[in-house]
């Protein structure tokens, strides 16, 4: 274990596939210990996970951190957004959690949009137009398909809420994660009683929204955890808001996150309200806003294409006029929840490497298409795109983003930005600082800048044309 100059804090990243824990020196940002443990997700159209696995994985990740975790003064949890966790009166999961990439509630999403007056009304009231990813649509789906589970539910939580509650014994959330539910109204920064009534959800089942900088609770006695009793627990937040903290983002700096899902976001002083539904009007964890566009298919989809082709993920080749829309899990941006992958333009001379490059192009095209909507009108377009997530260090991802965006790209050297953001939030409890200022003091966004190249406007136009022509077929889904 490395020596520490200041008090220690723990930042947690409970993602789709695993839970990671970092013990961080609050003074310097140095990681002095770390741990990680996996959990599983169901296959098929439904995407579900057992919340008890998240807790077991957290305990194991903390155990791997050893004595450093016991010395920590505060802890915070960042978690995957949107997931619906239903608990019984004893605090046990009623059923597996419905995850963000479970798209079975697409019909309920469309119904709710119509019932509340259309996309514009939702955007103005909630800040976002709900899609199948949003928690409110998942609750509506559950009420329709599993009424017994709804009747057995005594508490509704998001993934990070669930882990925070296991730490403290109290039901809490934060504005950043709550803003992705569809039942928290950004216009009033409160739960929306009318929306809750429409889906039959008692507001008493929801957690208290903890204010930025407020202590959510303290670690209660448990033999499963290495923490000292009384260790402070921060509010925590959703994974994208945690990553924004981890980067110390200032307004106007765009982020492309390349993970299982792809996201584009930036901090804004202005409350977003995009009636097209492309941009989700999320709150951040500090008191500002985090307009964000998300795709369901990013690194996992491209890696799957590479596997099908028998290629290493970096084995791309230039050339050809092939278009591949890698919508293997349906898609959120564009809003095509029933879609599957689509290939157009295959020729006798098309190579496997060109097919793989087309998969990268299709994934990045969707993210860049939302970038202008995410950024404020006065944003400085010369600011490099911050490239983060599991794909950020891949040469093929870097070059594709540069070629299709025409902008400089910066790759922060710091890894595990969600966990670092959670750690910065925990450190802010101890020092009284803005967590983003803590992260800037730690230098988490520092990294090499890749110069811009000429934008491949022809490729962007080709992909857009194929998407436009094929949208009715994609929306119909496979038969």
């Amino acid at each position: 274990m490395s020596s520490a100059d200041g008090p220690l804090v723990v930042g947690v990243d409970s993602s789709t596939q695993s839970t990671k824990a970092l013990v961080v020196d609050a003074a310097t940002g140095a990681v002095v210990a770390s741990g990680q443990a996996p959990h599983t997700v169901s296959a098929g159209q439904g995407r579900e996970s057992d919340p008890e696995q998240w807790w077991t994985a957290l305990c194991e990740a903390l155990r791997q951190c050893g004595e450093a975790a016991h010395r920590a003064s505060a802890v915070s949890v960042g978690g995957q957004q949107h997931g619906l966790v239903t608990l019984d009166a004893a605090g046990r999961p009623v059923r597996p959690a419905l995850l963000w990439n479970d798209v079975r509630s697409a019909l309920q999403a469309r119904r709710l949009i119509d019932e509340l007056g259309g996309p514009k009304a939702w955007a103005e009231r909630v800040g976002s137009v709900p899609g199948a990813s949003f928690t409110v649509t998942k609750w509506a789906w559950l009420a329709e398909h599993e009424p017994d589970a709804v009747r057995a539910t005594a508490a509704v939580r998001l993934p990070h809420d669930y882990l925070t509650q296991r730490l403290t014994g109290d039901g809490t959330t934060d504005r950043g994660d709550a803003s992705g539910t569809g039942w928290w109204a950004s216009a009033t920064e409160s739960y929306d009683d009318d929306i809750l009534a429409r889906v039959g959800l008692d507001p008493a089942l929801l957690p208290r929204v903890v204010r930025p900088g407020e202590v959510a609770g303290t670690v209660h006695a448990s033999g499963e955890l290495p923490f000292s009793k009384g260790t402070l627990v921060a509010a925590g937040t959703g994974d994208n808001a945690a990553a924004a903290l981890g980067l110390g983002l200032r307004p106007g700096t765009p982020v492309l996150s390349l993970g299982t899902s792809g996201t584009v976001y930036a901090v804004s002083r202005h409350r977003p309200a995009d009636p097209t539904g492309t941009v989700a009007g999320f709150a951040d964890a500090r008191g500002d806003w985090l307009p964000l566009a998300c795709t369901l298919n990013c690194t996992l989809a491209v890696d799957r294409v590479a596997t099908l082709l028998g290629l290493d993920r970096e084995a791309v080749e230039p050339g050809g006029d092939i278009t591949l829309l890698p919508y293997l899990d349906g898609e959120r941006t564009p809003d095509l929840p029933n879609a599957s992958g689509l290939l157009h333009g295959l020729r006798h001379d098309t190579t496997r490497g060109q097919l793989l490059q087309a998969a990268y192009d299709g994934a990045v095209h969707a993210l860049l298409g939302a970038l202008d909507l995410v950024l404020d009108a006065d944003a400085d377009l010369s600011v490099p795109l911050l490239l983060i997530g599991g794909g950020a260090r891949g040469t093929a991802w870097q070059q594709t983003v540069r070629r299709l965006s025409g902008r400089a790209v910066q790759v922060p050297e710091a890894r595990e930005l969600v966990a670092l953001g959670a750690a910065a939030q925990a450190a802010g409890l101890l020092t009284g600082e803005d967590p983003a200022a803590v992260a800037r003091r730690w230098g988490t966004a520092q990294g090499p800048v890749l110069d811009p190249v000429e934008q491949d406007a022809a490729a962007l136009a080709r992909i857009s044309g194929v998407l436009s022509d094929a949208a009715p077929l994609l929306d119909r889904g496979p038969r």
Side-chain angles (χ1 to χ4, degrees):
M1 184 183 75
S2 304
S3 60
D5 296 330
L8 299 181
V9 294
V10 171
V12 175
D13 173 11
S14 183
S15 67
T16 312
Q17 305 288 343
S18 68
T19 294
K20 304 160 193 154
L22 302 181
V23 183
V24 179
D25 182 345
T28 65
V31 176
V32 301
S34 64
Q36 180 174 348
H39 27 84
T40 59
V41 178
S42 66
Q45 185 184 22
R47 291 290 190 271
E48 301 182 354
S49 189
D50 180 4
E52 290 283 357
Q53 283 194 4
W54 307 339
W55 177 251
T56 301
L58 174 58
C59 292
E60 171 58 23
L62 290 170
R63 186 197 63 78
Q64 293 172 21
C65 292
E67 175 61 22
H70 182 74
R71 294 169 48 208
S73 300
V75 58
S76 180
V77 179
Q80 54 179 308
Q81 290 184 259
H82 303 307
L84 174 64
V85 181
T86 51
L87 304 177
D88 63 19
R92 294 184 298 262
V94 171
R95 68 176 315 284
L98 298 173
L99 302 186
W100 60 272
N101 54 350
D102 188 312
V103 297
R104 287 177 288 181
S105 61
L107 177 62
Q108 286 73 25
R110 290 172 181 171
R111 186 184 302 154
L112 284 170
I113 292 169
D114 291 340
E115 288 178 357
L116 200 65
K120 187 174 186 293
W122 273 91
E124 291 175 350
R125 185 167 176 170
V126 176
S128 302
V129 181
S133 297
F134 279 65
T135 324
V136 67
T137 71
K138 299 181 189 303
W139 176 261
W141 180 90
L142 194 66
E144 186 172 331
H145 292 272
E146 299 182 21
D148 288 344
V150 166
R151 283 190 288 270
T153 298
V156 171
R157 302 289 183 262
L158 297 166
H160 113 260
D161 306 344
Y162 171 77
L163 291 175
T164 300
Q165 182 167 331
R166 291 291 297 262
L167 289 170
T168 66
D170 297 323
T172 60
T173 190
D174 89 300
R175 69 192 293 271
D177 218 1
S179 67
T181 60
W183 56 57
W184 185 88
S186 66
T188 60
E189 297 212 27
S190 62
Y191 292 131
D192 190 303
D193 290 335
D194 181 39
I195 293 174
L196 292 172
R198 286 177 184 274
V199 296
L201 179 55
D202 184 348
L205 274 59
L206 298 176
R208 177 175 66 90
V209 181
V210 177
R211 298 185 301 274
E214 181 184 352
V215 176
T218 58
V219 175
H220 63 158
S222 173
E224 298 175 280
L225 297 170
F227 296 124
S228 300
K229 185 178 179 180
T231 300
L232 297 178
V233 181
T237 193
D239 51 5
N240 290 300
L245 290 182
L247 289 165
L249 277 191
R250 298 183 188 275
T253 300
V255 177
L256 270 71
S257 178
L258 305 174
T260 303
S261 65
T263 54
V264 182
Y265 57 85
V267 170
S268 176
R269 306 286 191 204
H270 312 292
R271 185 177 76 88
D274 174 20
T276 72
T278 301
V279 176
F282 294 150
D284 75 354
R286 300 174 48 258
D288 287 326
W289 302 95
L290 196 70
L292 178 149
C294 177
T295 64
L296 295 182
N297 300 275
C298 196
T299 60
L300 193 64
V302 172
D303 285 352
R304 180 57 182 156
V305 172
T307 299
L308 289 172
L309 295 171
L311 295 176
D312 180 271
R313 63 174 63 122
E314 295 289 345
V316 296
E317 295 178 20
D321 292 321
I322 193 165
T323 299
L324 201 166
L325 303 178
Y327 303 161
L328 308 189
D329 280 324
E331 191 44 80
R332 173 171 166 176
T333 303
D335 184 20
L336 297 166
N338 300 315
S340 55
L342 185 142
L343 177 64
H344 177 76
L346 190 65
R347 301 287 187 182
H348 282 289
D349 60 353
T350 302
T351 68
R352 291 185 298 160
Q354 290 170 344
L355 275 172
L356 182 56
Q357 180 62 67
Y360 280 97
D361 287 0
V364 171
H365 170 271
L367 289 169
L368 294 179
L371 185 60
D372 289 341
L373 292 174
V374 164
L375 292 173
D376 291 334
D378 58 352
D380 182 356
L381 300 183
S382 68
V383 174
L385 303 177
L386 290 179
L387 204 62
I388 66 171
R393 286 170 172 77
T395 301
W397 282 109
Q398 293 174 0
Q399 299 307 323
T400 302
V401 171
R402 292 173 71 203
R403 180 172 56 83
L404 295 184
S405 71
R407 293 181 62 159
V409 168
Q410 184 171 11
V411 184
E413 293 176 353
R415 298 175 183 265
E416 310 301 351
L417 287 164
V418 173
L420 280 173
Q425 191 182 50
L429 290 183
L430 304 180
T431 66
E433 291 176 272
D434 174 353
V438 172
R440 289 194 290 270
R441 176 162 55 78
W442 291 350
T444 52
Q446 295 175 2
V449 177
L450 308 177
D451 291 335
V453 298
E454 183 179 358
Q455 186 180 45
D456 190 347
L460 290 171
R462 184 182 70 251
I463 298 168
S464 295
V466 170
L467 175 59
S468 177
D469 292 342
L473 177 64
L474 289 166
D475 193 40
R476 189 174 67 189
R479 294 280 175 97

